[in-house]
Amino acid sequence: MRALLSVTDKTGIEKLAKDLRDLGVSLVSTGGTYKKIKDSGVDVSEIEEITNFPEILEGRVKTLSPYVHGGILYKRDEASHVSTVEELGIKAIDIVVVNLYEFQKALDKGNPEEIIENIDIGGPSMVRSAAKNHKDVLIVTDPSDYDELIERLKNDDIDLAYRQRLAMKAFSLTAFYDSVIARYFTKLTGEESKYKTYGFEKETDLRYGENPGQEASLYNDPFVTGLMEDIEVIHGKEMSYNNYNDLNPALELAQELGDNAVVALKHQSPCGVAVGSDVYDSYIKAFECDSQSIFGGILAVNGVVDEKAASKMHEIFLEIIAAKDFTKEALEILTKKKNLRLVKVDFANESVREEIRYLNGKVLIQGKDFGKDEVNIVTDKKPSEEEIKDLLFAQKVVKYVKSNAIVVAKGMKTLGCGAGQQSRVWALESIKDHFKDRDFEGAVLGSDAFFPFSDTVELAHEMGISSIIQPGGSIRDEDSIDKCNEYGMSMVFSKSRHFKH
């Protein structure tokens, strides 16, 4: 039996080589892997002894040879294949241990020449050849599989199911690898082919999904350095599916609102948002918006949580506090709750540029909603400068509220978020009914889409709201404009719809 070993990730390769030799397996290797094994004192042959040809073109060509691929691909139970390799002097390769050039690391460094040189050709070719002929050849691509390979070889326990499992992992690796390369060239050219490729690498299994009866796992997209890429859980329970799912929009909104923004979120929709003079001020204002819904929710803080802010946050039950950082004093307070998840976030990372939704057999892909809201005054009365600031604030928040959505705000803090209603006016009614004693006088209203009727304006006037921002575009826009003029309210068209379903 003979094994070909050629790896970039050399974790455990010396031990594997020794274990294989102890089992009587002859070894062939290439380049740095050969040197590593040879230096460890294990007898190994160089690839040139098989190919009868030296490595050329700075190592670009070393295993692309019929003496390699013939030895891997020939069918051991096919007489014509056996006679062909015997006639040509091709020797069998029964075990292939290969992993690939570190394209992703080169991509992160950003050097174009280094990126291209780290597109592996020989490695994927050997992996695919061995995986195709898995019935006769063992293909091992993951160092974590070395121990099992040795144990099975010792116990003569190499069945077809095991071979197929290794082949599955091998083809998954090459597909993943090619997907990252394809996305690099897509980004480089700014063009799209008819094939859309994504490669995700599993990070961990989660306890369950949205509900205990659903399985779930967390995967990483190595091509994207997004807001969730570098999060660091520094304290608390293991993150759940719902934790990750809720944290993402909270971080995106906090990033969009800028320094000192605090976003309280529950079940995928903001329940309290504010931008104050500091993190403490922002938190108090966000908490005051909806002190009930924030219970058991999460906080995203675009700033550093200090002792003063931590003391207030510590007073209620929260699932997560995610922030740029925490002072030593803040950590001393917050870590008293052993289950509270504390997460550090790099808000300098970009938000992803597209969203993916998997349906039953179909996939929807759309660009992220980065629509810029304009200020087009359409009423006789003009909003004040302070109202314009609040209008734009409300419109940023409403992008993250489930549709149909309404956000009422004043002084750069939300006074109410109406989410997920079948009728737009119902979203505003839910704010009015839930906060019966709240003073909405002089507040502004942001809507994620146009008003098909003037009923929302009428209710807003009844509540004391003074200014409205909405996309416009309804055939009945004039009805709403006329109502605003009748009530002495101002209205702004943003020209950007922000549905979030």
Side-chain angles (χ1 to χ4, degrees):
M1 184 176 284
R2 185 163 59 163
L4 171 56
L5 286 67
S6 181
V7 294
T8 299
D9 178 359
K10 295 178 175 57
T11 303
I13 197 64
E14 294 158 290
K15 181 178 184 300
L16 175 66
K18 182 180 184 305
D19 289 343
L20 287 171
R21 286 300 306 196
D22 288 347
L23 290 170
V25 179
S26 61
L27 306 181
V28 181
S29 192
T30 65
T33 309
Y34 168 81
K35 186 176 186 307
K36 189 88 170 174
I37 295 171
K38 191 73 174 176
D39 289 349
S40 72
V42 177
D43 187 25
V44 58
S45 301
E46 288 188 88
I47 193 69
E48 289 93 331
E49 296 180 32
I50 290 181
T51 63
N52 300 312
F53 205 87
E55 292 186 16
I56 62 171
L57 307 179
E58 299 176 305
R60 282 190 168 195
V61 179
K62 51 180 176 276
T63 59
L64 297 171
S65 163
Y67 286 96
V68 173
H69 288 275
I72 296 171
L73 278 166
Y74 84 92
K75 297 179 182 178
R76 275 59 167 174
D77 57 358
E78 179 67 47
S80 63
H81 282 213
V82 173
S83 64
T84 296
V85 297
E86 287 179 350
E87 181 182 338
L88 295 173
I90 296 172
K91 296 181 179 179
I93 297 173
D94 308 293
I95 302 172
V96 174
V97 181
V98 172
N99 52 59
L100 310 179
Y101 290 172
E102 294 177 322
F103 180 81
Q104 183 61 37
K105 283 189 177 179
L107 196 63
D108 292 340
K109 292 178 183 177
N111 183 318
E113 288 188 10
E114 189 175 348
I115 290 170
I116 297 303
E117 285 308 311
N118 275 277
I119 297 176
D120 202 337
I121 303 301
S125 298
M126 287 189 291
V127 169
R128 290 176 63 84
S129 291
K132 176 175 180 175
N133 202 27
H134 62 271
K135 186 166 67 74
D136 295 316
V137 180
L138 292 164
I139 172 62
V140 184
T141 56
D142 186 344
S144 68
D145 288 328
Y146 292 170
D147 288 344
E148 183 181 4
L149 171 69
I150 296 301
E151 282 303 308
R152 284 181 175 268
L153 288 171
K154 284 180 179 178
N155 298 316
D156 194 22
D157 184 26
I158 307 294
D159 58 11
L160 182 60
Y162 175 61
R163 291 177 177 276
Q164 290 172 336
R165 175 155 56 88
L166 291 178
M168 174 276 293
K169 295 183 77 169
F171 282 122
S172 296
L173 172 64
T174 57
F176 170 79
Y177 191 78
D178 285 341
S179 75
V180 178
I181 296 171
R183 290 170 74 185
Y184 165 71
F185 279 98
T186 298
K187 184 176 181 180
L188 184 70
T189 62
E191 300 287 337
E192 292 272 0
S193 80
K194 69 175 183 176
Y195 304 107
K196 194 77 171 173
T197 60
Y198 292 90
F200 304 134
E201 186 172 7
K202 190 174 184 178
E203 284 190 8
T204 185
D205 287 320
L206 301 174
R207 286 175 297 160
Y208 52 82
E210 277 186 290
N211 301 290
Q214 296 171 265
E215 294 181 358
S217 301
L218 179 68
Y219 286 78
N220 178 54
D221 185 342
F223 195 80
V224 175
T225 305
L227 270 173
M228 297 286 283
E229 175 72 14
D230 296 322
I231 64 170
E232 180 186 0
V233 181
I234 60 174
H235 175 76
K237 281 198 307 186
E238 176 187 347
M239 293 275 285
S240 71
Y241 178 97
N242 290 329
N243 290 154
Y244 284 111
N245 206 28
D246 282 345
L247 182 58
N248 188 67
L251 293 180
E252 288 181 331
L253 177 52
Q255 181 188 55
E256 187 166 347
L257 292 173
D259 290 344
N260 294 327
V262 171
V263 176
L265 183 140
K266 189 79 168 285
H267 303 319
Q268 284 279 292
S269 271
C271 56
V273 183
V275 181
S277 57
D278 56 26
V279 168
Y280 174 81
D281 183 41
S282 299
Y283 171 70
I284 294 299
K285 290 175 178 176
F287 175 81
E288 289 172 346
C289 174
D290 190 344
S291 59
Q292 284 185 305
S293 295
I294 195 175
F295 186 84
I298 70 172
L299 288 181
V301 181
N302 194 342
V304 178
V305 177
D306 60 14
E307 182 179 14
K308 187 178 180 182
S311 295
K312 293 302 291 184
M313 295 172 183
H314 184 67
E315 292 176 1
I316 65 168
F317 167 57
L318 295 167
E319 289 277 356
I320 304 172
I321 302 174
K324 284 184 179 179
D325 209 344
F326 302 82
T327 66
K328 179 183 176 182
E329 295 77 13
L331 287 175
E332 288 175 356
I333 295 167
L334 296 173
T335 53
K336 290 176 182 177
K337 292 184 176 180
K338 66 177 184 179
N339 291 331
L340 171 62
R341 301 162 181 88
L342 302 179
V343 180
K344 289 176 66 173
V345 182
D346 185 356
F347 281 97
N349 285 351
E350 291 187 2
S351 186
V352 294
R353 309 301 299 181
E354 61 185 11
E355 297 174 328
I356 307 169
R357 186 169 296 181
Y358 196 91
L359 312 179
N360 279 298
K362 299 290 184 183
V363 178
L364 293 173
I365 301 175
Q366 67 174 355
K368 192 77 176 173
D369 182 6
F370 289 112
K372 296 291 185 181
D373 293 311
E374 300 177 15
V375 177
N376 299 285
I377 302 167
V378 295
T379 51
D380 296 337
K381 183 179 180 181
K382 296 181 179 180
S384 67
E385 288 186 13
E386 285 301 308
E387 284 176 327
I388 289 175
K389 282 178 61 178
D390 283 341
L391 288 168
L392 292 175
F393 168 80
Q395 203 69 349
K396 283 182 179 179
V397 176
V398 86
K399 287 199 301 185
Y400 294 86
V401 180
K402 293 289 188 179
S403 300
N404 287 321
I406 294 288
V407 168
V408 178
K410 185 178 182 180
M412 297 293 283
K413 72 173 185 178
T414 55
L415 298 180
C417 301
Q421 299 297 322
Q422 288 80 2
S423 166
R424 194 157 307 282
V425 72
W426 292 354
L428 183 56
E429 285 175 351
S430 71
I431 296 173
K432 178 177 178 290
D433 293 343
H434 189 71
F435 304 108
K436 288 182 170 61
D437 299 325
R438 183 156 293 172
D439 181 8
F440 295 103
E441 195 68 34
V444 305
L445 179 153
S447 174
D448 65 341
F450 62 63
F451 298 153
F453 306 103
S454 61
D455 51 1
T456 304
V457 176
E458 293 169 11
L459 181 57
H461 169 66
E462 180 186 324
M463 294 169 63
I465 291 168
S466 62
S467 191
I468 293 173
I469 185 168
Q470 56 128 325
S474 168
I475 59 173
R476 303 184 67 168
D477 275 345
E478 286 301 321
D479 292 352
S480 295
I481 294 170
D482 290 344
K483 277 296 177 187
C484 281
N485 286 332
E486 178 184 337
Y487 295 140
M489 300 167 65
S490 59
M491 179 179 282
V492 168
F493 280 2
S494 67
K495 300 294 182 69
S496 293
R497 191 178 76 178
H498 299 301
F499 273 151
K500 184 177 177 65
H501 291 125

